[in-house]
Structures are given as C-alpha cells and as structure tokens.
Amino acid sequence: MGGAFLAAAVLARVGSRIGLPTIPLFILAGILLGPHTPGIVLVADPHDLEMLSALGLVLLLFYLGLEFHLDDLKAGGRKMALAGGTYLALNVGAGLGFGFALGWGTSEALVLAGVLGISSSAIVTKVLVDLGRIGNPETKPILGIIVVEDVFLALYLAALQPILSGADSLSAAAVDGGKAFGFLLLLALAARFGTKVISKLINTRDDELLVISFLGAAVFVAGVSEWFGVADAIGAFMVGLMLGSTSSGTRILKLVHPLRDAFGAIFFFAFGLSINPGDLPTVLWPVLAAVAVTLAMNVLAGLAAAKVYAFGPQATANISTTLVARGEFALILATMAAAAGLDERLSPFIAGYVLVLAVLAPLAAGRSHWLARILPGGWSRDEGGDSGSGAGRVSTPAPA
C-alpha cells in the first residue's frame, strides 16, 4: 500500500512539472507496477485493493454530492432532465449502433451501449476539482447530467444483468429495476424532507466525531444501496446531497478533502492494475473508432446542453470535454461481460477505450479553449481565455 501511494505521488509530481493531470498518471502507476507488466510488481492481485478502491469511489461521489446542493436540483430539474436525457440519447444510441456495427453480437452491443454512453463520475469529479471549476456556471449542468446518468445507470444495470444471464429476463429486470428505483426514491425523499432531522443527528463540535459520523453514513448507505441493486457510489452521492444542506455541510466539505484525495488516488491506481497492456494492440482500431464516436457525440451533447442553458462557446467546450471520460461503470460492464462468457475481445477493448479517454479527457478539459474557438459563435472576449474558473460566465457590457 505504501508503495502504491508513493508511486502515484512520484509520477504525479513529475507530471505536474510538465502540465499533465494526475488521473492518467495514477492509472499509469497501476499499469507499470501491476501483475500484467514486467518488472517490479507491487500488487500481484488487483482484488487486494478492491475495498480501498471502492472507498475511493465512494468518497469521490460523496464529495460531489456535498457540492451539488438541493436548491440546484429544485431550481433546474427540468433543464437538468432535458440535458441529461439528450446526452444519454446521443451517447447510448451511438454506442448501441457502434456495437452492432462491430458485429460481435446483440448482448455485446448492449454492453457497448453502456460503455460508450456513461461518463465516469469519479474522473469528471476529479477534473472539476483539479481545474477549479466547481463554482463555474456550466458545472451545474455537468453535475446534473451526471445525476441523470447515475439514475439511468442503476436501472440499466438492473435490466442488463438478467439479459446477460439469459434467465427470466423481463420479469427479473422489472423486479430488480423496481427495487432499485424504490430505494433511490427513498433516498431522494430523505434528502428533500429530512434535512432538519439529519442536521441534528450529524451536528457536533468535535471534528473527530464529525469525520467518523459522515464517513460511516456514506459507507453504510453505499453498502445498503448495492444490496438494493443501486451502485454504491450513487448511495454515497445521495448522502453527500443530504449532508451538504445541513448546518455542518461546510465543515464536512473541508474535512473530507484529504480522505477524498488519498483514496481517490488508490481508486485510479487500482484501475491501472486491471489493465493488461499486451491485450491492447488486438483491439486498437475499434478503440480508436469508439474514441472518435465518443468525442463527436460529446460535442453534440455539449451544444445541446448549452442551448438549454443559453451558454456561450467556452462553457459549451467545458461541458463537452469534461464529460468525455469513461471509467468505473465501463469496468463493471467488462466484469459482467466476462462472467457471462461474451466475446473475449470485449475486455481488452473496454480497457483500451477507458484508458485512452482517461488520459485524453483531463488533457482536453484543461485545453477546452481550443475547442471553443471552432464552435458556433467562435472565441468571445467576454468569456475570456481562461478554461478554468470563470470560463463560461457572461459579462455584462459596459454602458455606452
């Protein structure tokens, strides 16, 4: 574990000197020091880090929930649903079409629809934090799209599992989907109407007790969520949504930072451990084609979201590039596909596709002003050249 932390830290320090984001470097550390690469092997079995990796994902999404206030949901629910629905229609639809075009089979196409269609909540969150864009106007639509994707994710997994297993597909999908949706509804009601009670329960002047309380709540609800067929990260997000609206929300946001950063690094490191570089050349061209499809669909989805929210070119570019990353959901689907005995090319394809976008997405997001220049409306001096904080803000022209 110490070697994993230090390897991630050393590579991240080197990368920061040449302007590279930390996410792909954490992943690279896992690849170089994992069981599939010659040389030093720090972790022979990726499952050894499974629980710590899951904790990293839980904390990343818990932090995202803290930042995403209920007022934002109430104020922009219709726009959020429209932007998120459009994003899913474009990306999941393109993924399904791409899967059928490859000719690997119907079940494989359904898996690829999810792989190409759903953004990585963990990477998107990390990109927003690293680039200092949490307070930007376009960040609310980005987080809104992530929320819509997470709800879709829970229902999609519930429906796909019985289809891949080939047993009692329709009835199993209906039961599992209903159970997952019911639990999500329960969490949403608690977040909406239980804030005062939760605030009294969580409130304490002692930082130590507060850390233990919010960490226990996030991990416990994440575990219960998984039992109900809802992704554990979604449960953690909902807990963050609840606690962020309490009187202790600001303190929790500050206290969770070091935990989020440390275990988030392990999440990406563990992801790198699962990648076998030797399998990647066999699926190189399908991976590159899928990346091209994803980039095109994200630009279209960014334009659609910007139209809904009346954003300019820079904010549009920020939305398009930030949501490009694919990650943890794709890995879940890869595991399901392998267990179902689907085409053996799926696993290396998903690993290569996710790795390319995990590297490309933070780089593209940090240079989104390049895309802004070629989008409709061109480069606007009112929006400024900064792709970090302040990007997408609309300036009020000075009176004549």
Side-chain angles (χ1 to χ4, degrees), residues 200-254:
K200 291 180 180 179
L201 291 173
I202 199 73
N203 187 42
T204 175
R205 294 181 179 180
D206 190 318
D207 283 350
E208 179 184 11
L209 293 179
L210 185 58
V211 169
I212 296 300
S213 299
F214 75 68
L215 186 60
V219 176
F220 180 76
V221 174
V224 174
S225 298
E226 199 168 46
W227 188 73
F228 274 96
V230 178
D232 50 5
I234 301 176
F237 173 86
M238 295 301 294
V239 174
L241 196 64
M242 297 177 202
L243 298 186
S245 301
T246 67
S247 57
S248 303
T250 304
R251 286 173 61 208
I252 294 174
L253 195 64
K254 181 180 179 181

Side-chain angles (χ1 to χ4, degrees), residues 47-300:
H47 292 293
D48 290 345
L49 296 183
E50 190 171 7
M51 179 59 72
L52 292 173
S53 173
L55 184 57
L57 179 60
V58 163
L59 288 171
L60 282 166
L61 271 293
F62 174 70
Y63 178 84
L64 181 63
L66 288 170
E67 288 283 2
F68 199 84
H69 298 295
L70 281 172
D71 291 341
D72 299 331
L73 283 173
K74 289 184 284 187
R78 185 177 299 177
K79 289 184 177 180
M80 180 182 75
L82 181 58
T86 302
Y87 187 90
L88 286 172
L90 288 170
N91 284 273
V92 175
L96 185 63
F98 181 81
F100 281 122
L102 284 179
W104 291 355
T106 301
S107 295
E108 286 79 359
L110 290 171
V111 170
L112 288 172
V115 170
L116 270 68
I118 307 294
S119 304
S120 167
S121 300
I123 297 179
V124 168
T125 305
K126 190 70 165 59
V127 167
L128 290 172
V129 172
D130 286 352
L131 296 179
R133 292 182 181 169
I134 290 293
N136 281 19
E138 73 275 6
T139 295
K140 291 180 182 179
I142 290 173
L143 299 183
I145 290 172
I146 290 294
V147 170
V148 173
E149 284 186 317
D150 285 346
V151 174
F152 173 81
L153 181 156
L155 301 176
Y156 189 76
L157 280 179
L160 191 61
Q161 181 63 57
I163 293 174
L164 293 183
S165 65
D168 209 12
S169 302
L170 186 60
S171 59
V175 171
D176 291 345
K179 185 171 69 172
F181 182 78
F183 184 69
L184 282 174
L185 182 61
L186 180 64
L187 290 178
L189 290 173
R192 175 66 180 86
F193 299 107
T195 304
K196 290 183 179 180
V197 175
I198 294 170
S199 182
K200 291 180 180 179
L201 291 173
I202 199 73
N203 187 42
T204 175
R205 294 181 179 180
D206 190 318
D207 283 350
E208 179 184 11
L209 293 179
L210 185 58
V211 169
I212 296 300
S213 299
F214 75 68
L215 186 60
V219 176
F220 180 76
V221 174
V224 174
S225 298
E226 199 168 46
W227 188 73
F228 274 96
V230 178
D232 50 5
I234 301 176
F237 173 86
M238 295 301 294
V239 174
L241 196 64
M242 297 177 202
L243 298 186
S245 301
T246 67
S247 57
S248 303
T250 304
R251 286 173 61 208
I252 294 174
L253 195 64
K254 181 180 179 181
L255 291 169
V256 79
H257 268 225
L259 294 170
R260 179 207 68 194
D261 291 341
F263 289 99
I266 290 300
F267 169 79
F268 295 111
F269 180 87
F271 171 44
L273 293 175
S274 67
I275 296 175
N276 185 350
D279 292 338
L280 301 182
T282 62
V283 289
L284 176 62
W285 294 113
V287 165
L288 294 179
V291 168
V293 168
T294 300
L295 292 175
M297 290 301 104
N298 271 264
V299 172
L300 291 177

